[in-house]
C-alpha cells in the first residue's frame, strides 16, 4: 500500500496536466460561453445550454492515457511493481474524481442560485445531471471521471502490451462491433425498442448505475492486462 500511495503522489509531480490544464481549459470554455450569451441579449425566457463541461472530462481522459504511456515505464524503472503502479493509479483517479466532482457540484449549485450567472446560462448543471438526490447528483459528476480514466488506462495498456498493431486491432474490432450492431438493429427494426428502453431507465441508472458497472469491468480487464504489459 505504501508503494501504491507513492505512485499516487507521483501523479502530482506533473500537476499541470493533472490540475492546471483541466481547470484552465474548463475556465476558458466557461468564460467564452458566458461572454457569448451575455452579448446575445436574448429574451428572458431564453435558457442557453452548452456542452463546455465536457472539456474537463476530455482533458482528464487524455491525461489517463499519458499516465500509462509515459509514467508506467518510469515507475517500473524505479522498481515499482505492476500491481503497486495499478493500485496507485486507481487511488489517484478515485481521489481526483471525488475532489473534482465536489467542485463541479458546488459550481452547479452556485449556477442555480445566480440564475445561470445572471444570463440563464446552464453550463455546469446540464439537464441530464439534474438528479434530485444530492448523492446521486454528486456521483453523476464523479463516475464519468472514473469511467473515462479507466478507458484511458485500458487504451494505454493495449498500446504498451501490443503496440500500435494492438490499437489498430482494437479500433477495428470496435468499429466492426458497433457497425454490426447498428446494421442488425436496423435490419430487425429494433430502434424503437432500444429508444423505449433508454427512455424507461431512471436518471440515476443512466448517470451512475450503468457507467459504474462498465467502470468495474474495465478496472478488472485493465488489471489483468497490466500484469503482462511491458515498459
Amino acid at each position: 500500500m505504501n508503494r501504491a500511495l507513492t505512485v499516487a503522489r507521483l501523479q502530482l509531480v506533473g500537476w499541470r496536466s493533472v490540475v492546471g490544464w483541466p481547470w484552465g481549459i474548463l475556465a476558458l470554455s466557461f468564460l467564452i460561453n458566458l461572454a457569448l450569451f451575455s452579448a446575445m441579449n436574448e429574451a428572458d425566457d431564453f435558457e442557453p445550454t452548452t456542452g463546455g463541461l465536457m472539456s474537463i472530462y476530455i482533458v482528464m481522459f487524455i491525461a489517463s492515457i499519458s499516465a500509462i504511456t509515459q509514467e508506467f515505464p518510469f515507475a517500473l524503472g524505479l522498481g515499482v511493481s505492476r500491481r503497486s503502479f495499478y493500485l496507485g493509479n486507481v487511488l489517484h483517479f478515485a481521489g481526483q474524481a471525488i475532489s473534482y466532482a465536489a467542485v463541479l457540484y458546488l459550481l452547479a449549485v452556485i449556477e442555480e442560485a445566480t440564475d445561470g450567472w445572471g444570463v440563464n446560462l446552464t453550463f455546469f448543471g446540464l439537464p441530464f445531471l439534474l438528479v434530485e438526490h444530492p448523492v446521486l447528483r454528486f456521483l453523476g459528476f464523479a463516475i464519468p471521471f472514473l469511467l473515462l480514466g479507466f478507458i484511458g488506462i485500458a487504451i494505454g495498456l493495449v498500446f504498451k502490451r501490443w503496440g500500435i498493431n494492438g490499437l489498430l486491432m482494437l479500433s477495428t474490432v470496435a468499429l466492426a462491433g458497433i457497425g454490426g450492431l447498428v446494421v442488425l438493429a436496423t435490419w430487425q427494426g429494433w430502434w424503437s425498442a432500444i429508444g423505449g428502453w433508454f427512455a424507461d431507465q431512471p436518471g440515476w441508472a443512466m448517470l451512475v448505475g450503468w457507467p459504474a458497472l462498465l467502470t468495474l469491468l474495465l478496472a478488472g480487464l485493465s488489471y489483468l492486462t497490466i500484469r503482462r504489459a511491458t515498459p
Side-chain angles (χ1 to χ4, degrees), residues 141-173:
F141 284 109
I143 294 299
F145 276 118
L146 289 176
L147 177 58
L148 289 174
F150 277 107
I151 291 176
I153 289 174
I155 291 174
L157 286 174
V158 168
F159 176 74
K160 300 304 295 183
R161 178 69 176 86
W162 292 285
I164 189 64
N165 288 329
L167 287 180
L168 292 174
M169 179 59 69
L170 178 64
S171 301
T172 302
V173 170

Side-chain angles (χ1 to χ4, degrees), residues 39-114:
M40 291 176 65
N41 294 321
E42 295 287 346
D44 292 338
D45 59 351
F46 179 60
E47 297 182 1
T49 301
T50 79
L53 181 62
M54 285 301 301
S55 62
I56 191 171
Y57 290 95
I58 293 172
V59 175
M60 293 313 304
F61 166 67
I62 296 173
S64 66
I65 298 177
S66 175
I68 298 297
T69 58
Q70 297 184 20
E71 297 171 14
F72 178 60
F74 176 72
L76 262 61
L78 295 178
V80 176
S81 67
R82 288 168 171 79
R83 180 175 179 272
S84 296
F85 179 81
Y86 179 79
L87 292 177
N89 273 274
V90 171
L91 290 175
H92 168 72
F93 282 116
Q96 201 170 37
I98 293 172
S99 58
Y100 284 14
V103 176
L104 294 177
Y105 185 98
L106 177 61
L107 290 171
V109 171
I110 295 174
E111 182 174 85
E112 291 179 12
T114 58

Side-chain angles (χ1 to χ4, degrees), residues 14-26 59 100:
W15 65 270
R16 290 179 179 84
S17 61
V18 175
V19 180
W21 281 112
W23 289 105
I25 292 176
L26 180 66
V59 175
Y100 284 14

